Amino acid sequence: MMTPRRPSVPRLLGLASAVAGTALLVLAVPRAAGTQWSAVRASLGQIDGSHLAILGALAGVCLWAYTYVLSASLPGLTRSRALVLNCTGSAVSNLLPAGGAAGVAVTYSMTRRWGHPPRAVAACIVVTGVCNVLARLVVSVAGVLVLAGLSVPGIGWVAGAALPAAFLAGGGLWLLRQPLRRAVRHRVPARLFRGSAARAVVRMRRFARRCRHDCREVWLRSWPRLVGGMAGTLTAQGLLFLACLWVTGAGSGLGPAVAVFAASRLLTQIGITPGGIGITESAAAFALVALGGAPAAVASSMLLYAAFTHLLEIPLGCLTGAFFLLHEGRRARRPAAATTLRDSSEPPARL
């Protein structure tokens, strides 16, 4: 008789984090906006089907815009496959705390099944990760600077902490650039290890050198598409944010709403809950109400935004993942057209 397998600690932590994020979204957002659930339900009840269709279309634009970033960072990746990859990886990331690691594993597995070489996939993962963090950091700093001139309680010390942190992070990376480069090249002696450990160190050192070279090549070749794709993605997300405020009649001005959206982008990187859900929306709701928004409408708009940018991606990602398993998992692995980073003239077969 088989005994049931006990759930592992990471799974339990992931489940607890997802539950905590949902609880924050349901309980903390109305409290941060200074309203009650009865008022939030009444505000949500005024939204009709046409409004939901507009929000759904904008959410689709957000997902499609990011396919330009993925296809630019991985030669030979088509837009349709990039969309499947984006939806499936986002669903996994939205279910787990610090779900980026699980999303990376899904990205690697799917792209390798499509025949892309490991070096190209590694460069894609690194480049897209750096682009996401840097874009959100720049947008968040700009938003905090704008909010610092507005009457938002507590934004002064946030601005005072965000700017030094951004400069310290950038300066630290710049100062460590040469030492890390020397360490990758020859300062990590394999003689400190023996046998298989020494061989593993040598392989890791070679892989790090190649990955750095590949990432630099991807950036030099595709930086206009990477920058444009990230700008388009953040712009689409901002339009969805503004549309959620519009359909609920939150009454926030255009300028303050854009500033709040920009300042809250870095909160999505907090790994306490998947995608920072609950934390980002609570902070944005507090700031919008402080800037004159209607509490119940603001709370309902933040719940709508979380539903279309986070919760909706989970069932959609399950569908794209099932599509991948059914249609791609049965095929034998085929070499991608871009076997090197330079050759991308003939993309792999389209879906």
Side-chain angles (χ1 to χ4, degrees):
M1 181 177 179
M2 296 180 61
T3 58
R5 190 171 52 178
R6 293 182 179 180
S8 61
V9 174
R11 291 180 181 178
L12 291 176
L13 290 177
L15 179 61
S17 177
V19 172
T22 306
L24 278 174
L25 188 65
V26 173
L27 300 177
V29 170
R31 183 175 293 273
T35 186
Q36 302 294 328
W37 252 109
S38 57
V40 174
R41 285 195 298 269
S43 178
L44 291 174
Q46 298 176 0
I47 301 173
D48 57 22
S50 61
H51 292 155
L52 295 178
I54 294 173
L55 298 180
L58 288 174
V61 172
C62 295
L63 294 173
W64 181 255
Y66 194 69
T67 62
Y68 288 87
V69 179
L70 292 173
S71 59
S73 59
L74 185 58
L77 184 67
T78 62
R79 295 280 190 274
S80 55
R81 284 184 171 179
L83 182 62
V84 173
L85 185 66
N86 183 24
C87 295
T88 308
S90 296
V92 174
S93 301
N94 291 343
L95 282 172
L96 299 173
V104 165
V106 171
T107 298
Y108 185 85
S109 176
M110 294 178 67
T111 50
R112 290 292 292 129
R113 183 64 63 90
W114 284 328
H116 295 278
R119 284 180 56 182
V121 175
C124 169
I125 292 171
V126 173
V127 170
T128 53
V130 171
C131 287
N132 272 283
V133 173
L134 289 182
R136 282 167 171 74
L137 178 62
V138 171
V139 171
S140 296
V141 170
V144 169
L145 287 176
V146 174
L147 290 179
L150 302 176
S151 57
V152 180
I155 196 63
W157 67 266
V158 174
L163 291 179
F167 283 114
L168 286 176
L173 290 176
W174 177 260
L175 292 176
L176 290 175
R177 184 173 62 94
Q178 291 297 337
L180 289 176
R181 181 183 298 178
R182 289 195 297 269
V184 167
R185 286 181 176 177
H186 58 273
R187 297 297 187 185
V188 181
R191 63 176 178 272
L192 295 179
F193 303 91
R194 296 180 181 179
S196 59
R199 290 191 294 271
V201 170
V202 172
R203 286 195 297 267
M204 290 176 60
R205 191 166 58 191
R206 290 175 180 173
F207 179 80
R209 285 200 299 265
R210 292 171 180 172
C211 186
R212 176 182 174 274
H213 174 269
D214 294 344
C215 292
R216 182 175 181 272
E217 187 176 346
V218 168
W219 173 255
L220 292 177
R221 184 190 63 249
S222 304
W223 70 266
R225 288 190 294 161
L226 290 169
V227 173
M230 283 306 308
T233 301
L234 291 174
T235 300
Q237 291 176 354
L239 291 176
L240 178 59
F241 186 88
L242 295 176
C244 291
L245 293 173
W246 169 68
V247 299
T248 58
S252 302
L254 178 61
V258 172
V260 169
F261 167 78
S264 63
R265 289 310 86 200
L266 199 59
L267 295 177
T268 59
Q269 303 298 313
I270 294 178
I272 299 176
T273 59
I277 186 172
I279 300 174
T280 305
E281 292 78 11
S282 298
F286 177 82
L288 288 170
V289 171
L291 292 171
V298 166
S300 59
S301 64
M302 292 301 98
L303 294 176
L304 279 175
Y305 185 74
F308 279 96
T309 59
H310 191 98
L311 301 179
L312 183 63
E313 291 180 352
I314 296 175
L316 181 60
C318 292
L319 292 177
T320 56
F323 174 81
F324 170 79
L325 292 176
L326 290 175
H327 292 270
E328 298 292 339
R330 296 176 181 176
R331 298 179 184 179
R333 180 179 297 179
R334 299 176 182 176
T339 56
T340 64
L341 288 173
R342 292 184 181 275
D343 184 13
S344 59
S345 58
E346 298 181 0
R350 296 179 179 271
L351 289 174

